[in-house]
Amino acid sequence: MQIASDEYFMQMAIELAKKGLYSTKPNPMVGCVLVKNGTVIGEGWHHKAGLPHAEPLAIADAKQRGNEVEGATAYVTLEPCSHYGRTPPCANRLVDSKIQRCVIGMHDPNPLVAGKGVKILQAAGIEVTVGVLKAQAEKLNPSFLFAMRHKKPYVRLKMASSVDGRTAMPNGESQWITGSEARKEVHKLRLQSQAILTGIGTVMADDPSLTVRLSEQDLQSAHLGLPEDTSHCYPLRIVLDTHLKISPQAKILQMPGKNLLICSGESLKNNPEKVELLSTQKIQVLGLPADQEGIDLKCLMQTLFSDFGIQSIMVEAGAKLTGRLIAQNLVNEYHLYMAPCLLGSKSRAMFELPELQTMNDKVELVPESCEMFGNDIRWILMPKQMNN
């Protein structure tokens, strides 16, 4: 009976946490439910980095309802934080509220927490249970958890293709393979990401903006829970441009939001005037190691996490860059949109991968979901083996 009750209230906390899908980054989504005598007395979910976390919001909600928190059980999807950041420690806040028990979905792998929150609660005499609906709690924050554990971003690769696996006509024409409903989902994925990664080839061929374009109706129907000022929610646009070929007039550089250009250290050194011109447009240019294939992608991922705090990246790029990412085992999720059309064998392929010799060399993917948007099919696939 106790297990069923814990699962029931933890599921409520998980559903609350999901409301922060588009607005909490780089913080994880967290939900909290306070229960007393089998009745929910307060609820809270984290809205935005820098604002109160789920636990103090649930406590405030309980008090606003006229409920006494002392003696209650707190159901929290992620271990309460134990450190001072932009907000005080939630573990201490729960202790001060004199809850009797705390049920936690999963431990927080952030080194600043990592079991310390549980110890604070236990030291205060609070009964703690960890691991209720752990699998569901893990699914809430794959980017945050992966980044904390591996010190590099979680990468989602998006690609739209025809049934025969082609992304553009031989001359590069590609608008539009998929319909409006599928493209709307792509914009939601952009909004979910901290950064969008593309290559200079895509910028020169398509002159994309890579912005988030969703109507107010789209935002409301998706229950995004965004505040009026959504500028903090929009992703950083990253362009890999080894030889610094980009035009200062490129559309991507004119759009609202921030841009980061990644070139080779040599190109950064040899183009001071262009770097200065770009800096006057408030565009950051960073030099990283590169070879004949392009920017060192593993160095890129480590730098984006360590220097920029990037935990989640959405890739919208051409076959060469996407192929390199796949070959180097840097893709965590594939979002493949397939339109009911054929473009022919001379049209452009999805990925440029190293030549495979046998079926044993194939890249195996595991279906996570398959869904239709209009007439298009979206597959979300995971690598069968990911050596991280």
Side-chain angles (χ1 to χ4, degrees), residues 13-14 16-31 46 76-79 105-110 134-150 152 154 156 192 311-312 333 382:
I14 287 171
L16 282 171
K18 290 178 182 178
K19 294 184 177 183
L21 176 62
Y22 299 92
S23 60
T24 65
K25 56 183 186 288
N27 285 4
M29 293 182 283
V30 181
H46 184 41
V76 191
T77 56
L78 185 68
E79 179 182 2
M106 62 170 294
H107 283 292
D108 188 340
N110 184 343
K134 181 180 177 182
Q136 291 92 318
E138 286 258 0
K139 284 188 175 183
L140 281 173
N141 299 294
S143 302
F144 171 79
L145 300 178
F146 181 84
M148 290 297 109
R149 289 163 177 164
H150 302 285
K152 61 182 178 180
Y154 188 92
R156 293 180 175 93
Q192 186 181 338
Q311 299 173 6
S312 61
E333 261 181 47
M382 318 290 281

Side-chain angles (χ1 to χ4, degrees), residues 49 77 82 85 95 98 116 122 149 154 170-171 175 210 217 223 225 235 245 292 301 314 330-331 337 344 368 377 388:
T77 56
S82 56
V95 169
K98 299 182 180 180
K116 299 183 185 70
Q122 291 175 330
R149 289 163 177 164
Y154 188 92
N171 64 0
Q175 295 184 342
L210 296 185
Q217 183 178 357
H223 305 291
K245 295 180 179 179
Q292 66 273 15
M301 295 302 169
M314 176 184 178
L330 291 173
V331 178
Y337 293 81
E368 180 75 9
I377 297 173
N388 298 306

Side-chain angles (χ1 to χ4, degrees), residues 218-363:
D218 294 333
L219 295 172
Q220 292 172 4
S221 64
H223 305 291
L224 300 190
L226 294 176
E228 291 183 8
D229 176 15
T230 58
S231 59
H232 76 282
C233 301
Y234 295 147
L236 170 71
R237 296 182 292 267
I238 305 170
V239 180
L240 299 192
D241 184 7
T242 306
H243 304 293
L244 209 56
K245 295 180 179 179
I246 197 166
S247 166
Q249 284 73 50
K251 188 187 296 183
I252 195 172
L253 304 182
Q254 314 307 317
M255 296 292 106
K258 296 181 179 180
N259 296 284
L260 174 63
L261 300 182
I262 307 291
C263 65
S264 68
E266 183 179 4
S267 294
L268 183 67
K269 179 181 177 181
N270 294 339
N271 295 276
E273 292 182 0
K274 189 167 189 179
V275 172
E276 177 63 26
L277 174 60
L278 291 166
S279 68
T280 62
Q281 296 178 240
K282 298 183 179 180
I283 297 161
Q284 185 172 358
V285 183
L286 178 66
L288 290 180
D291 58 21
Q292 66 273 15
E293 292 294 319
I295 300 298
D296 183 326
L297 296 179
K298 291 186 178 180
C299 178
L300 169 70
M301 295 302 169
Q302 292 168 355
T303 301
L304 291 176
F305 175 76
S306 62
D307 294 0
F308 295 88
I310 300 296
Q311 299 173 6
S312 61
I313 294 176
M314 176 184 178
V315 177
E316 296 194 63
K320 182 178 179 181
L321 176 54
T322 56
R324 290 184 65 212
L325 288 164
I326 294 169
Q328 295 185 39
N329 201 32
L330 291 173
V331 178
N332 299 84
E333 261 181 47
Y334 294 76
H335 288 238
L336 305 183
Y337 293 81
M338 184 180 294
C341 64
L342 301 170
L343 298 185
S345 60
K346 294 187 182 297
S347 295
R348 300 188 180 184
M350 297 175 73
F351 314 117
E352 288 184 17
L353 293 170
E355 185 175 348
L356 305 180
Q357 301 300 321
T358 70
M359 286 297 289
N360 289 332
D361 298 328
K362 65 182 180 290
V363 179

